[in-house]
Amino acid sequence: AGRLPLSGRHVLVTSGPTHEPIDPVRYIANRSSGKQGHAIAAAAQTLGARVTLVTGPVDLPDPEGVTVQHVETAREMLAAVEAALPADVAVFAAAVADWRAATEAEHKIKKGKGASPPALALVENPDILSTVARRSRQRPQLVIGFAAETDKVVENAETKRKSKAVDWILANDVSEGSGVFGGDRNRVHLVTAQGVEDWPEMSKTDLAAALLGRAARYLAQAKGS
Ligand code: C5P
């Protein structure tokens, strides 16, 4: 077999939502389906990479030929990501919960007759993307994030790219009616230090292939590789 564009490379991908427990039966979550992240992992594998996919709870099969780490919480996701380093490319497609319950109740929280509902105190979760992008040791050569925005999509993504020390951001409009969450299609703007490219609407599979093809060309052109 001929050498594929990502032969010899390790690609690390996060996907899906995270579940943040409140008590043994309840959790905080979000609407991420994992379709885009899983498609990215599969595309990297097709291009010849060794792939590690760290995924939150999703209804999708593990992509073939990919090492899959299943996690529930943001903190578990961060630990699995760090354990998977080094990587040449890291793509952060997971919709990590921004907050988790400050404490996880050991027993199911009971509804009290006439009592007021319990207060839910939240604390911030680690930002996995920026933690990895700011590493001095074992920072992947190419760190890619997503920015799901409902307003000022590109502007907010440019700010995010810089504040999180990310190389590329894929900005997408997830406002109501865009159909991105759970859908099969996506439309993104690729935001890099060189500027912004508006990509046409395409399937999440085609987007994954385009992105990984682009990443392969970037690695091939980068000095010392
Ligand atoms: O700040 P925001 O959540 O919009 O950033 C989105 C990007 O950051 C995505 O690439 C997402 O996977 C990543 N992220 C992360 N850890 C978090 C929050 C976001 O890796 N706690």
Side-chain angles (χ1 to χ4, degrees):
R3 253 182 95 76
L4 292 164
L6 288 173
S7 289
R9 306 290 192 177
H10 181 209
V11 175
L12 173 59
V13 183
T14 70
S15 186
T18 63
H19 284 184
E20 309 294 336
I22 295 168
D23 69 16
V25 299
R26 304 183 179 97
Y27 57 82
I28 300 167
N30 62 65
R31 293 184 190 283
S32 171
S33 66
K35 281 181 183 171
Q36 187 62 79
H38 278 55
I40 288 167
Q45 197 274 336
T46 301
L47 291 180
R50 177 169 77 83
V51 183
T52 305
L53 172 63
V54 180
T55 182
V58 293
D59 280 329
L60 300 171
D62 290 353
E64 238 170 272
V66 168
T67 300
V68 183
Q69 307 278 354
H70 291 270
V71 299
E72 298 270 334
T73 68
R75 288 182 295 175
E76 288 166 9
M77 187 172 277
L78 176 60
V81 162
E82 295 202 307
L85 293 175
D88 299 286
V89 180
V91 187
F92 295 86
V96 181
D98 291 313
W99 307 284
R100 65 175 182 272
T103 54
E104 180 185 349
E106 222 176 297
H107 301 281
K108 183 181 172 188
I109 302 168
K110 301 301 278 182
K111 208 166 28 172
K113 275 190 209 88
S116 47
L120 183 57
L122 300 176
V123 293
E124 208 164 309
N125 264 331
D127 190 311
I128 301 166
L129 168 59
S130 74
T131 302
V132 171
R134 292 184 182 289
R135 285 177 67 103
S136 47
R137 275 183 60 253
Q138 297 189 328
R139 182 197 191 274
Q141 200 177 334
L142 182 56
V143 175
I144 304 172
F146 275 81
E149 305 284 351
T150 55
D151 302 282
K152 294 191 200 155
V153 175
V154 168
E155 203 179 311
N156 286 332
E158 280 173 326
T159 308
K160 198 165 288 183
R161 195 187 74 77
K162 291 181 192 135
S163 69
K164 296 199 186 200
V166 182
D167 299 303
W168 299 355
I169 287 263
L170 295 165
N172 57 355
D173 186 344
V174 294
S175 53
E176 238 175 290
S178 70
V180 168
F181 273 120
D184 291 320
R185 299 182 71 75
N186 208 347
R187 198 174 98 78
V188 300
H189 313 271
L190 175 66
V191 180
T192 73
Q194 277 69 50
V196 181
E197 283 173 27
D198 302 320
W199 286 14
E201 188 193 298
M202 57 185 106
S203 70
K204 289 181 177 177
T205 312
D206 287 348
L207 177 63
L211 178 66
L212 271 296
R214 180 73 174 247
R217 289 199 297 281
Y218 176 91
L219 293 182
Q221 284 162 14
K223 264 191 238 140
S225 56

